[in-house]
Structure formats: structure tokens, C-alpha cells
């Protein structure tokens, strides 16, 4: 990692990304990809039947989607970029170098999508008032928007697929090999009906707000959207099955570790169970909504929605299985180091090539063992500082000190209250990639293993939060810095 | 502490020739920033006219007209930011990500801040008539939106500035210390002044194309509205003749000479003079001829904006070029060592394999 280390010691860095990404996927699938065709269909149906109630309802639902997608939806999309570039700058930077044009195209489609949703929403009333010709044009606009939303998703899934597809990256860096990867089509086939089903459930939920209980139209609307939902739900299961059976194919190259395989089988079984439960829940609730619309409470629709969330969350975890312990299959580990770097780093040490060091706060320096002489203290602090740098560079992308998935929590569980001496911990860390297939091998050399051990022992006593570069800055490591006089900026003196 | 960090770059080739990436960056960035100007300026003007609307109702209606334009402009502003984000990440990887990490808490808070600003903008617009009875609360919303829109650009500017000065990376501790680096506030003032000015021109465009019924609904004459637009365009632009040179003169010195930067900004100032003159003339024109110079003014503004973007890019290049050479050398050296270590490891493995077979 050759950037200053951004670090959230309480929440954990991965949860920052995961939180933003999950919110984004939900909004994107439920309110854009799945909902736009449904709204356009409703508008079309209302126009065909010359029934303005459909039109009003469609507009109200669209308005809710508009408010949410253009605020939380759009910004969480950007937020994924922002958070990944803080947490894993080397991985996103590498991916951009290879997929620049794919992302650029994706962006153009996205710009189109934003313009279309603006146009679709903001011209609705005016064009409707202008008569049938304008209305037809407006409906076409709706379907164009629906198409653009789907294309955006299709491209993103291709990019994700390629990132997940191990091996290809190293040999054929082309976008099309990504599209050809064994998971692409099943994944797209899974997400499409999933989005449509989610949209159906959300729309039914909104219908309960936008129509009156006594109103016959509520029943009609629930029935129509219910049919939409029922039509797509089985495909979630079918495509889910397809996806599920294609995963091992994609994993073959990456996984030799039996433990990982066991965990994966566990995942698979659970995924299938959850998918069945979800789809059955959807079928039951929707059936009920269609047959007994008057008795339907709003919370009833929350249940299938939560089930979908559960399934989607579980579904997304598959990427971890396929990728681990890499962030880019076979090319870069999740700690940001390339596979190729290991020979050098394990020989010379990661600190030799680290540009930055992560300063210890006063609180982090507390709780040293009692009775140290002054020189011992200094030497100890120096070792802790170096150990911290090793930790920051090799473990913090996945572990915190004392927060979520904390290293101290793991060590406490493994070693309890006995002192976590380097002798105790170093042996484990050296072979940690066998113990936990999520983890890459330790990238440093033997001396660094001892330093890390010293630091971990310190963490047993010292519970101070570990700050990231965003609050305490960095120290530029001596050896890595350029000291040529011409590089010092002349204004330096003026400023200080 | 004068140590200048020289990190390694990502050892992968650029996805396209550099001039193309730079073109993407500069062009889309300018489009982004123009819509940001419309959005921020729109919010500020809405707030201002709402305050005036307390005394005279028709100003409140005018405020509503302006508020209605923010909805589209803000979405376009944000989506147009993503293209340059891609490009800047590619071209200035080391610089941009480092600045992001060093101001990380504020950098990521852009997301919730913009979401909040946007949601409040919607509340403010779509509940305008319902909130008639809670006027102060409503105006309070406009004030909060304006403050948010004034703060967010400061985060961007701090990053864009910090990335240029590797010698500061070791001394910065979080956002506020990066904010205090030279040139941030001068550039910020330059940006903030541009907001009402660009929005003024936008309003001229808007009021020229609205039909008579729509204009009548505002309670103003078309000429009055157009004149107001020009006044918003002119006065802040006049102030730019003071602020702009300050921003230019406070640019930290670079190792590379920046004659071309100064030349570009010099030409921009000359064109601006002509443009400001035309704007002023327009504010004095009667109903029959007002708006006559609108197209030339827009063309000149486009030229000015293009020159600003160019000058800004040339300065950035001048600031980072020497350091980038060091980074290149460092990266190449590192990759050599990686190769060497891998060869060594391979030989060692062969050696031990032979040892076993014997
Ligand atoms: C959240 C989506 C946004 C993205 C992805 C984005 C992207 C960018 C990028 C990449 C740059 C740097 C371009 C360059 O230096 O060449 C930039 C600059 C800037 N952006 Fe945005 N932006 C976003 C939203 C905003 C918002 C909401 C505002 C204002 C309220 C804003 C105001 C600015 C300003 C003031 C600059 C710096 C201008 C200068 O250097 O003179 N941006 N933005």
C-alpha cells in the first residue's frame, strides 16, 4: 500500500463500502431497473384504457422514485467510488487503468439515464395535457428510460464479472473476455427478474398509500401489479439455480483450500434455502393481496421485501468466495499487494518499500509494561511504531484494532488472557492463509513478523482507537523521501 | 519536516494516450463546473429573492421560478462530475488518492452532505406552497441549503489543491490543516463569485425563452427580468477582476516556469473585459434591444471558461511534472527489484527441487 492509509477503527473499512453499496443496489434494482418498466407499462395501460387513475398512480410512484433515485440513489453510486478509492485505492486504480473505457461508456449511459428520468418526470403533466400524440411520445420516453436503466446494470455486471473472473486479468485484458465469463449471463438473468420483483413489491406497498381502502381501483391496481410480480418471481428461482450451479465453475482456478470449499457448500445450501423461502413468501403475500385486498395490512408487504434483502445480501457474498483472498483474481490480494510483489516484500520487508509511516497518538503510546528504563521505553515504542506500520499496511483493509472484525477480538478468542507474545502470534500469522482462506499470506519478512507480534501484544493492553491518515496524517519515511534541494518548494519558508 | 514523499505509481499502462484522457478531464470538468455554478448560484439567488419576497410578494414568485431550475441542474451537475472523476483518477492516481485519504473524513462526507442538500432542495421546492404559513422555516431551509452548497465546494477545492503539493503531504493532519494551505480560499472566492454570474446568464436565457403567459405570472416585465439576470452576471464578474488576479498571484511557486499559464489567464482577462463591457451595456438597454448581445456574451463566456480550464490544467502540470518524474523513476526501480526478487525466488525453488531429486 503506497498511499496514506485511510482507516476507520470502529466501523471497519469494509463496512463503509458495503453499507453504501448495498443501499445503492437496493435503490438501483428496486426503484430504477425494475420500476421504470413497470411505471411505463402503467402509463401505457392507462392511456390505452383511457383511465386517468392509472396515469395518476403511475406518476405518484414515479415521483417517489425520482426523489429517491436522484438523491440517495445517484449519490450512493458516486459514494461507492469515493469509499473504494479511500479504502482500496490501489485496487480501484488498477481496475480503472484496465476498464477505463468500459466505465466511461457506462458513465455515458448513466448520463443518458439521468437526463431521461429528468425529462420523463418533469414533462409528465405538460405532455399529458397536450393530447394523445404527446402522450404517446411520453410513453415511449418511459420505455427508453427503462431500457437505459437496464443497460446501465448490464454493463456494471459485466465489469463486476470480469473483476471476479480470475486469471483472465493476467492474460487477456479485454472487456469482452469479461462478458464471456461463465457467471455473466446467469448473473444478469438473476438480477433482472429480481429487480422486477422488488419493484412489484415496492409498488404494491406504495399503492396502499396512494389509494383509498374502499376504492375499487385499489383492488385493480394491486391485482395488476401483483400479476407483474408473480410473473417474474419464478424466474428469480430459476436464474438463481442457474447462477448457483455456475459458481463452482468460476471458482475452480481460485480455490484449492478445502475449508473454503466447505464454507462455500454451506453458502450454496443456504442460498438455495433463502431463495426458496423468499420466492414462496412473495407468492403467498401477493396471492393474498390479489384475493383479499381489503384485508391486506401495509406491513404484510414489508415481509417479502425483507426476504428479498436477505437473499440479495447473501447473494452478494458470493463475490467474496470467488475472489478471496484476492481483490482482483490472481493479480492482487485484498491487502493491496500484487501477487508478484510477494517475493520482494518477503525478502526485504514491506517497510523497506513503504513511503509512509502512521504516527502513534499519545493515547496509543500509553500502557507500556511497567518498569522499563528510558532507553528500553524508546526502543519499545520504536518497535511498536514499526509493528503498527506493518499492521496498517497488511491487515487493516480487513481488520480493525478494536472495532468490527477486530484483530484483538480474534486473538482474545484464540489465546484468551495469556500474554499475546510474538512467539505465540507470529507462528499463526505466518501460516494464516492456510487457517483462514479469506486471508492472503503475510507479505512481510521474519523481522516484521516479530514487530507485528510486539504491536499485537501492545494492543492487548492498549485499547486506544487506531487513527487513520485522515485524522493524524502521515510521516514520510526517511528512505523513501526525496531530499534533493530543488524539490523543496520555495514557498515553504514563506508559509511557515 | 521537509521530506517529500515519492510513492510508487500503479504499474499498469494508461488506458489511452494521455492527451485523450486530458481532453476528457478538462472538457467534462468544465461542463461539470458550469452546472455546479447554476446549482449553487440558483440556491443563493433563491434565498436572496425569498428574503426580498417578504416585503413584496412577486419576488417570492421569482424565487420560486429560480428554485424550479435547480432540480434539473443539480442532477446534471452531479452526473457530469463522474466523467472527470474517472479521468483524474487515471491521470493523477498518486496525487488524487493521496489527497483524498489525507482529508478522508470530509471527502467521504461529501456523499451525505450532497444527499442532505438535495433532499432539502426538494422539500423546499415541492412544499413551497404548503409552507406558505411557515415562511421563516421555509426561508431557513433555503439558508441551510445555501450553506451546504457553499461548504461542499470547499472540500473539493481543498483536495484539488492538496494533490498538487507532495511536499505538504507529510505535514497535513486532516481536512482543516489542508484547508489552510495557500490558494484554497482565493480559488474558493473565485468559484463562489462565478456562481451568481453564471446563474445570471442562465436566467437571461430562461426569461428570454419563456412565453408571455409565464412571464406575466411572475409579476415582472420580461425586460426587468432579463436586466436582473445581466446585473447578476455583471457585478460578480466585475469583482472577478480583483479576485481572479489574487487567485493567480497566490498560486504557489512551481519548479517549472509558468509563463504559459500566465499568458492563458492574461488572454482570459482580456476576453473577460470585453464580455463584462457587453454585459454592462445590456443592463442599460431598453426593452426593444435588450438581449441583443446575448449570443456574443455566451460565446465569450465559453471562451473564458475554456481558457480558465486550460490555464488551470497547465498549472497543475507545471506543479506536478518534476515530482511525477521522480515517481516514474521510483516505480521503474521498484518493478526492477520485483523482477529480480522473483527470478531469485525461482532459482532458489529450482535449486531446492534439484536438491530433492538428487
Ligand atoms: C458528488 C458528485 C460529484 C463528483 C463525482 C464531482 C467530481 C469532481 C471532480 C473529479 C473534480 C475535479 C476536476 C478537476 O480538477 O479537473 C471536481 C471539482 C470541483 N467540484 Fe465537483 N463533483 C461532484 C459534486 C460536486 C458538488 C455537489 C459541488 C458543489 C456544491 C462540486 C463542486 C466542485 C468544485 C468547486 C470543484 C473544484 C473547482 C476548481 O478546482 O476550481 N462538485 N468535482
Amino acid at each position: 500500500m503506497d498511499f496514506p492509509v485511510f482507516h476507520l477503527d470502529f466501523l471497519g473499512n469494509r463496512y463503509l463500502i458495503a453499507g453504501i453499496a448495498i443501499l445503492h443496489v437496493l435503490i438501483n434494482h428496486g426503484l430504477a431497473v425494475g420500476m421504470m418498466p413497470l411505471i411505463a407499462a402503467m402509463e401505457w395501460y392507462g392511456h390505452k384504457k383511457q383511465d386517468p387513475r392509472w396515469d395518476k398512480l403511475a406518476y405518484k410512484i414515479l415521483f417517489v422514485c425520482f426523489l429517491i433515485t436522484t438523491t440517495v440513489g445517484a449519490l450512493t453510486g458516486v459514494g461507492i467510488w469515493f469509499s473504494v478509492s479511500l479504502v482500496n485505492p490501489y485496487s480501484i486504480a488498477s481496475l480503472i487503468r484496465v476498464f477505463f473505457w468500459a466505465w466511461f461508456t457506462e458513465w455515458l449511459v448513466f448520463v443518458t439515464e439521468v437526463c431521461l428520468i429528468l425529462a420523463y418526470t418533469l414533462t409528465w403533466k405538460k405532455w399529458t395535457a397536450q393530447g394523445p400524440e404527446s402522450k404517446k411520445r411520453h410513453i415511449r420516453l418511459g420505455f427508453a428510460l427503462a431500457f437505459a436503466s437496464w443497460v446501465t446494470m448490464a454493463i456494471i455486471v459485466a465489469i463486476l464479472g470480469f473483476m471476479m473472473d480470475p486469471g483472465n486479468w493476467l492474460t487477456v485484458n479485454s472487456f469482452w473476455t469479461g462478458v464471456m465469463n461463465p457467471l455473466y449471463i446467469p448473473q444478469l438473468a438473476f438480477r433482472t427478474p429480481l429487480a422486477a420483483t422488488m419493484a412489484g413489491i415496492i409498488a404494491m406497498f406504495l399503492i396502499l398509500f396512494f389509494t383509498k381502502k374502499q376504492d375499487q381501483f385499489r383492488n385493480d391496481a394491486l391485482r395488476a401489479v401483483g400479476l407483474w410480480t408473480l410473473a417474474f418471481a419464478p424466474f428469480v428461482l430459476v436464474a438463481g439455480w442457474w447462477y448457483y450451479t455456475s459458481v463452482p465453475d468460476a471458482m475452480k482456478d481460485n480455490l484449492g483450500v478445502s475449508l473454503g470449499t466447505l464454507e462455500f457448500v454451506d453458502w450454496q445450501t443456504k442460498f438455495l434455502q433463502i431463495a426458496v423461502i423468499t420466492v414462496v413468501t412473495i407468492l403467498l403475500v401477493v396471492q393474498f393481496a390479489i384475493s383479499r385486498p381489503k384485508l391486506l395490512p401495509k406491513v404484510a408487504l414489508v415481509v417479502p421485501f425483507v426476504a428479498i434483502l436477505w437473499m440479495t445480501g447473501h447473494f452478494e457474498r458470493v463475490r467474496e468466495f470467488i475472489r478471496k483472498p484476492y481483490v482482483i483474481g490472481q493479480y492482487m490480494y485484498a491487502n493491496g499487494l500484487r501477487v508478484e510483489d510477494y517475493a520482494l516484500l518477503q525478502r526485504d520487508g514491506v517497510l523497506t518499500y513503504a513511503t509512509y509511516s502512521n504516527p502513534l497518538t499519545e493515547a496509543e503510546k500509553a500502557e507500556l509494561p511497567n518498569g522499563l528504563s528510558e532507553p528500553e521505553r524508546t526502543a519499545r515504542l520504536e518497535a511498536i511504531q514499526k509493528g503498527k506500520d506493518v499492521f496498517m499496511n497488511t491487515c487493516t483493509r480487513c481488520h480493525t484494532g478494536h472495532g468490527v472484525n477486530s484483530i484483538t477480538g480474534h486473538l482474545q478468542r484464540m489465546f484468551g488472557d495469556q500474554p499475546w507474545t510474538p512467539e505465540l502470534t507470529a507462528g499463526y500469522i505466518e501460516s494464516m492463509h492456510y487457517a483462514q482462506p479469506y486471508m492472503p499470506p503475510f507479505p512481510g519478512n521474519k523481522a516484521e513478523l516479530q514487530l507485528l507480534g510486539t504491536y499485537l501484544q501492545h494492543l492487548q493492553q492498549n485499547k486506544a482507537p487506531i487513527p487513520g491518515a485522515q485524522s493524524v496524517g502521515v510521516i514520510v519515511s526517511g528512505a523513501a523521501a526525496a531530499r534533493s534541494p530543488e524539490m523543496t518548494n520555495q514557498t515553504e519558508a514563506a508559509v511557515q | 519536516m521537509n521530506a517529500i514523499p515519492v510513492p510508487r505509481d500503479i504499474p499498469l499502462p494508461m488506458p489511452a494516450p494521455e492527451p485523450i484522457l486530458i481532453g476528457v478531464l478538462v472538457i467534462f470538468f468544465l461542463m461539470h463546473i458550469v452546472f455546479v455554478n447554476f446549482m449553487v448560484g440558483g440556491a443563493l439567488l433563491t434565498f436572496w429573492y425569498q428574503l426580498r419576497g417578504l416585503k413584496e410578494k412577486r419576488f417570492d414568485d421569482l424565487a420560486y421560478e429560480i428554485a424550479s431550475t435547480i432540480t434539473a441542474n443539480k442532477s446534471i451537475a452531479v452526473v457530469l462530475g463522474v466523467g472527470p472523476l474517472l479521468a483524474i483518477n487515471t491521470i493523477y492516481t498518486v496525487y488524487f488518492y493521496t489527497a483524498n485519504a489525507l482529508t478522508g473524513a470530509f471527502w467521504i462526507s461529501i456523499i451525505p452532505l450532497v444527499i442532505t442538500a438535495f433532499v432539502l432542495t426538494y422539500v423546499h421546492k415541492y412544499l413551497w406552497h404548503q409552507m406558505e404559513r411557515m415562511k421563516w422555516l421555509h426561508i431557513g431551509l433555503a439558508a441551510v441549503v445555501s450553506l451546504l452548497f457553499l461548504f461542499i465546494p470547499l472540500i473539493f477545492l481543498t483536495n484539488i489543491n492538496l494533490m498538487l503539493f507532495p511536499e505538504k503531504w507529510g505535514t497535513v493532519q486532516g481536512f482543516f490543516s489542508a484547508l489552510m494551505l495557500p490558494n484554497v480560499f482565493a480559488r474558493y472566492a473565485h468559484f463562489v463569485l462565478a456562481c451568481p454570474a453564471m446563474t445570471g446568464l442562465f436566467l437571461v436565457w430562461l426569461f428570454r425563452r419563456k412565453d408571455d403567459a409565464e412571464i406575466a405570472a411572475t409579476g415582472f416585465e420580461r425586460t426587468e427580468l432579463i436586466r436582473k439576470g445581466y446585473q447578476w452576471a455583471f457585478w460578480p464578474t466585475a469583482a472577478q477582476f480583483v479576485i481572479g488576479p489574487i487567485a493567480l498571484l497566490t498560486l504557489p511557486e512551481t519548479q517549472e516556469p509558468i509563463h504559459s499559464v500566465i499568458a492563458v489567464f492574461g488572454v482570459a482577462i482580456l476576453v473577460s473585459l470585453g464580455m463584462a463591457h457587453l454585459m454592462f451595456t445590456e443592463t442599460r438597454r431598453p426593452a426593444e434591444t435588450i438581449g441583443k448581445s446575448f449570443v456574443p456574451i455566451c460565446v465569450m463566456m465559453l471562451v473564458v471558461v475554456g481558457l480558465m480550464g486550460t490555464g488551470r490544467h497547465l498549472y497543475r502540470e507545471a506543479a506536478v511534472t518534476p515530482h511525477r518524474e521522480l515517481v516514474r523513476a521510483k516505480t521503474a526501480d521498484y518493478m526492477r527489484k520485483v523482477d529480480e526478487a522473483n527470478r531469485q525466488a525461482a532459482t532458489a525453488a529450482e535449486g531446492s527441487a534439484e536438491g530433492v531429486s538428487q
Side-chain angles (χ1 to χ4, degrees), chain A residues 2 70 107 347 353 489, chain B residues 8 12 79 93 122 167 344:
Chain A
D2 211 21
T70 57
W107 174 62
R347 188 189 73 188
Y353 300 100
N489 198 305
Chain B
R8 312 185 286 278
L12 288 168
V79 73
T93 312
Y122 281 149
E167 66 272 21
Q344 192 188 357

Side-chain angles (χ1 to χ4, degrees), chain B residues 197 201 229-242 267-285 293-294 296-302 304:
Chain B
L201 277 189
Y230 277 128
Q231 281 163 348
W232 280 115
F234 174 73
W235 290 106
T237 304
Q240 294 289 33
F241 289 103
V242 180
V267 178
I269 292 174
L270 289 181
V271 182
S272 305
L273 274 173
M275 178 181 73
H277 173 73
L278 275 186
M279 285 175 178
F280 186 72
T281 319
E282 283 274 55
T283 62
R284 295 295 158 107
R285 285 208 169 113
S293 310
F294 183 63
I297 288 176
C298 287
V299 171
M300 287 164 103
M301 183 58 102
L302 226 58
V304 172

